[in-house]
Amino acid sequence: MCGIVGYIGNQSVVDILIDGLHQLEYRGYDSAGVAVQCGEKINVYKAEGKLENLSSVLIQHKKEFTAATLGIGHIRWATHGAPTVLNAHPHTCNCGSLVIVHNGIIENFKELRAELEKKGAKFRSQTDTEVVAHLIAYKYEELKDLTKAVREATKEIDGAYALCVMHNDEKDKLVATKRNAPLLVGVGEGEFFLASDVPAIIKHTKRAMYLNDNQVVTLTREKMVLTDAEGNILPQKVETLPWEPVALSKMGYKHFMLKEIHEQPDVIRNILVGKLHSVDEPIVLNEVKLTKETLKNLNRIQIIACGTSLHAAMIGKYIIENFCGISVDIEASSEYIYRKTVTDEKTLVIGVSQSGETADTLTAIKQAKAKGSHALIITNRPDSAMAREADSLIPVSAGIEVSVAATKSYIAQVVSFYLLAMYMAEIKNSLDSATLTSLKADLIQIPQKIEQILSDKNDIKECAKKYSGTRDFIYIARGINYPTALEGALKLKEISYINATGYPAGELKHGPIAMLDESMPVLSILMTGSVYEKLLSNSEEAKARNARMIALTNSKDAKLNDLFDFIIRVPEVSELLSPLIAMIPLQLLAYYIAEYLGKDVDQPRNLAKSVTVE
Ligand code: F6R
């Protein structure tokens, strides 16, 4: 997380930096800052909170940087040190000649800080980044060369970083480097851009070079020089980015989240094009590079992901096991990477990530690949670091998701799992053709059914209003919709800050039932099918403890009216596809509760869209 940008050229630098940071706001919004070469000195401007606060600061200093054409910028998601102005980037050395912005975490910063303090470094912040500013400055005193100083300093740093550095004694230069954090150079005519991600530069150029770990790039207006950790000159792989600049607009919706929820029917239709032609034709999934023979003999799959993507992975497990009879393990990436995992060349490892940059998942994938596993990546960003690690890549094509709370990317991931599971089932011959045909027919109908839900949201709005005053919320479900309960609860927590938890309903009686009383809403995801009656009994148990009962259901069962205080109805859907339908009202419920409470829906506190720190 955190976003960094840099620019050297002939245009007004501050406008470019601020626009770039605006495009990277999904990476953090705790504070923002820019450093600009203003004649004989470098000026640093910072502000706590969102980017608009920095813009207000800059307006007051406009005259100082009107002619400036070189600078760096940063948008912060706080790791070390509170989100204050002092902790905001850019950070400088003692005299302010050397200025840096950083994305990542310096793991040995305490040791480095102690050593640097002994040498006379004066620290002003609590950040890990400031040690890097002082460290490079000391190297510079010896080497009198910014590129060399950066290269030597990074040899002493443990952890992850993308760094952009400028120095007042080398006024026409930017130096950047990275390890385990994204960074790319945009190449223009007589100008270069640096950024954590494509949206920050795509307006200016489509030509770009992704930096690899430990490479150092030195930019002047005339040229770029790429070197390795030893200082050897490297060839430059400048590529044309497969992106068009998009004007990110809310299209009349109050928030990006609401717009993105409404995009879901079309997202599904787009995914199905070219893959699911008709109910009688096999699924086409050329993206899967495993041979049919390997797929047939596969006996183990591991799916690794975080957060919402982990919930999509849980549904993936359910359907792959159901359709293909292959055993699937699910794991949170952050747990996977710090234990002895049993993974080998016979295991298919699937990484799921909206951003394709999540540090934990990326590390887990690299770890599994090192053990010989085939890595299949399901991501919304085919240009991401994870996509570059993929042996097979399934892009989910949900389009840019701006709201921090994932909605359309989740549905797109789940649809991709349905296609993958059906594709494998067809190769393995593990599902009878009548079931496959009816699954395909049902899947084609899903967008229309979601549109039906979206066309009348009054009940959901009413439910949101009625329950928005609650402090806690419980979601229960069984079977294939247990992950839906987890994801519904996560959505509510993220954007309304209500303490919401999802449980497999059968687990209620093993502890959580103790929390139930007349103040506790319990939302039961009651979709017809194999566990309907079981879940009904679990709901009765909760009702008997006076909980405030809500049903989300596709059932017309009259006895629900006595059991539940509030019922949200959804269209008929088969049990196996029901997570795609059940999730939509839960996204909307979270949205309307947060909106009713006046929360910052698209940029909830403490979160960031792309989590590039472990
Ligand atoms: C929740 C949310 C997060 C992400 C998680 C993983 O709405 O968006 O829980 O799902 O941070 O991110 P990706 O999918 O980019 O790996």
Side-chain angles (χ1 to χ4, degrees):
M1 19 252 280
C2 297
I4 60 179
V5 290
Y7 176 73
I8 178 167
N10 298 302
Q11 302 187 57
S12 172
V13 65
V14 171
D15 296 341
I16 290 177
L17 296 179
I18 291 299
D19 184 64
L21 291 177
H22 177 56
Q23 303 299 331
L24 298 182
E25 262 187 309
Y26 73 88
R27 303 177 73 89
Y29 31 80
D30 287 337
S31 65
V34 292
V36 182
Q37 186 72 52
C38 296
E40 285 313 300
K41 63 184 179 66
I42 298 173
N43 285 356
V44 175
Y45 308 95
K46 307 182 192 190
E48 197 177 313
K50 297 220 177 143
L51 193 58
E52 62 210 39
N53 300 349
L54 177 64
S55 299
S56 311
V57 170
L58 287 168
I59 286 169
Q60 295 160 30
H61 295 270
K62 212 169 169 156
K63 283 196 191 125
E64 297 166 17
F65 51 74
T66 39
T69 55
L70 183 154
I72 55 180
H74 187 270
I75 191 124
R76 181 166 187 245
W77 184 82
T79 56
H80 297 68
T84 59
V85 172
L86 270 187
N87 288 331
H89 299 216
H91 289 286
T92 65
C93 63
N94 281 359
C95 66
S97 297
L98 182 132
V99 187
I100 72 164
V101 288
H102 164 224
N103 162 215
I105 290 184
I106 309 300
E107 284 167 6
N108 59 338
F109 85 99
K110 284 200 180 124
E111 297 85 327
L112 288 172
R113 182 169 172 146
E115 280 169 33
L116 290 161
E117 274 172 337
K118 276 189 219 147
K119 289 187 182 169
K122 300 267 176 289
F123 281 83
R124 303 172 194 95
S125 75
Q126 291 107 40
T127 62
D128 52 337
T129 301
E130 199 182 347
V131 298
V132 185
H134 290 291
L135 184 63
I136 302 175
Y138 280 108
K139 297 289 177 196
Y140 190 81
E141 272 179 23
E142 279 167 39
L143 300 163
K144 299 289 179 227
D145 180 302
L146 189 57
T147 306
K148 286 185 185 160
V150 168
R151 189 180 298 123
E152 289 310 308
T154 51
K155 288 184 180 155
E156 295 177 25
I157 294 173
D158 294 334
Y161 55 79
L163 294 168
C164 295
V165 188
M166 54 196 282
H167 198 296
N168 202 34
D169 292 351
E170 300 193 24
K171 290 189 176 53
D172 293 309
K173 192 180 280 179
L174 281 181
V175 178
T177 186
K178 64 145 265 178
R179 190 193 298 156
N180 293 331
L183 189 62
L184 77 160
V185 184
V187 179
E189 293 298 326
E191 59 183 359
F192 292 99
F193 304 81
L194 284 161
S196 302
D197 196 2
V198 175
I201 64 163
I202 195 70
K203 223 183 250 179
H204 309 286
T205 180
K206 286 180 102 178
R207 295 177 64 228
M209 180 183 76
Y210 285 94
L211 250 65
N212 290 332
D213 283 353
N214 304 317
Q215 293 180 337
V216 180
V217 68
T218 306
L219 305 172
T220 57
R221 286 179 183 81
E222 296 73 39
K223 63 175 182 191
M224 115 169 125
V225 178
L226 184 69
T227 49
D228 66 12
E230 275 67 54
N232 302 307
I233 306 270
L234 296 170
Q236 300 165 9
K237 277 196 215 149
V238 176
E239 54 190 271
T240 303
L241 297 169
W243 277 67
E244 291 302 327
V246 277
L248 294 174
S249 145
K250 292 184 194 143
M251 307 288 282
Y253 291 100
K254 190 166 177 196
H255 295 100
F256 279 107
M257 182 177 177
L258 192 58
K259 171 185 165 239
E260 287 159 4
I261 291 172
H262 278 79
E263 283 170 353
Q264 293 178 116
D266 284 341
V267 166
I268 300 177
R269 287 187 185 108
N270 285 343
I271 298 174
L272 299 188
V273 170
K275 295 190 167 67
L276 172 48
H277 290 287
S278 78
V279 292
D280 329 296
E281 286 177 77
I283 301 288
V284 180
L285 212 50
N286 296 331
E287 289 89 347
V288 178
K289 302 297 178 202
L290 288 166
T291 63
K292 292 196 170 165
E293 218 34 51
T294 314
L295 274 176
K296 266 186 202 157
N297 295 320
L298 213 58
N299 57 7
R300 187 155 171 256
I301 296 178
Q302 285 177 335
I303 315 184
I304 316 167
C306 301
T308 288
S309 298
L310 182 63
H311 299 151
M314 291 170 79
I315 295 180
K317 170 185 164 75
Y318 192 100
I319 52 187
I320 292 173
E321 289 189 341
N322 189 309
F323 297 4
C324 312
I326 304 175
S327 161
V328 182
D329 298 325
I330 297 291
E331 199 148 3
S333 321
S334 52
E335 289 301 314
Y336 185 91
I337 54 184
Y338 291 111
R339 67 180 185 81
K340 198 170 162 197
T341 46
V342 185
T343 311
D344 56 26
E345 58 286 349
K346 292 192 198 113
T347 314
L348 168 64
V349 171
I350 304 181
V352 192
S353 174
Q354 188 285 128
S355 64
E357 298 287 349
T358 301
D360 290 322
T361 310
L362 186 57
T363 310
I365 291 298
K366 286 182 183 168
Q367 230 168 269
K369 276 187 73 177
K371 290 185 177 175
S373 302
H374 183 99
L376 187 154
I377 304 297
I378 297 179
T379 181
N380 198 27
R381 291 292 303 270
D383 56 337
S384 60
M386 232 177 276
R388 289 195 292 277
E389 288 294 327
D391 297 312
S392 297
L393 174 65
I394 302 188
V396 302
S397 312
I400 291 185
E401 192 174 59
V402 176
S403 183
V404 166
T407 53
K408 62 176 179 170
S409 63
Y410 170 80
I411 288 294
Q413 289 165 348
V414 175
V415 170
S416 301
F417 270 116
Y418 281 106
L419 291 173
L420 178 64
M422 284 195 270
Y423 172 77
M424 294 200 300
E426 279 171 343
I427 289 171
K428 280 178 71 76
N429 216 355
S430 52
L431 209 57
D432 63 274
S433 64
T435 311
L436 265 166
T437 307
S438 87
L439 267 169
K440 287 178 190 171
D442 286 354
L443 189 53
I444 292 168
Q445 292 299 316
I446 292 287
Q448 225 174 303
K449 293 185 177 178
I450 296 179
E451 271 161 357
Q452 238 174 290
I453 299 172
L454 295 173
S455 68
D456 181 4
K457 302 183 283 287
N458 286 334
D459 280 357
I460 303 169
K461 285 183 191 168
E462 197 189 323
C463 184
K465 193 170 172 186
K466 186 165 175 189
Y467 294 94
S468 59
T470 186
R471 210 189 50 176
D472 306 292
F473 222 110
I474 287 180
Y475 291 68
I476 55 171
R478 295 185 78 135
I480 196 167
N481 276 305
Y482 165 47
T484 311
L486 295 178
E487 176 59 9
L490 180 63
K491 287 287 89 81
L492 186 61
K493 269 192 275 236
E494 280 182 294
I495 60 171
S496 72
Y497 321 141
I498 289 171
N499 176 30
T501 314
Y503 290 107
E507 279 292 302
L508 264 192
K509 57 187 172 294
H510 299 290
I513 203 164
M515 293 188 297
L516 303 191
D517 62 18
E518 55 290 337
S519 69
M520 180 69 85
V522 173
L523 189 150
S524 185
I525 303 167
L526 200 56
M527 306 303 280
T528 50
S530 58
V531 288
Y532 177 83
E533 291 298 335
K534 297 279 172 218
L535 185 53
L536 211 51
S537 306
N538 299 136
S539 305
E540 294 276 7
E541 289 155 18
K543 171 89 172 171
R545 273 80 189 176
N546 296 325
R548 302 163 74 189
M549 300 303 296
I550 308 162
L552 168 63
T553 188
N554 59 345
S555 161
K556 302 210 165 59
D557 193 344
K559 61 178 176 282
L560 300 189
N561 295 326
D562 299 329
L563 176 50
F564 292 96
D565 307 314
F566 203 102
I567 301 181
I568 300 171
R569 297 196 187 270
V570 291
E572 267 305 307
V573 61
S574 66
E575 182 180 16
L576 281 172
L577 288 171
S578 62
L580 290 170
I581 292 297
M583 195 56 226
I584 312 301
L586 299 183
Q587 294 169 342
L588 288 166
L589 182 65
Y591 172 80
Y592 284 116
I593 291 181
E595 222 255 314
Y596 196 72
L597 295 173
K599 303 295 184 204
D600 190 344
V601 171
D602 284 333
Q603 294 187 330
R605 70 183 184 202
N606 305 339
L607 295 179
K609 184 96 187 135
S610 180
V611 185
T612 56
V613 293
E614 277 189 11

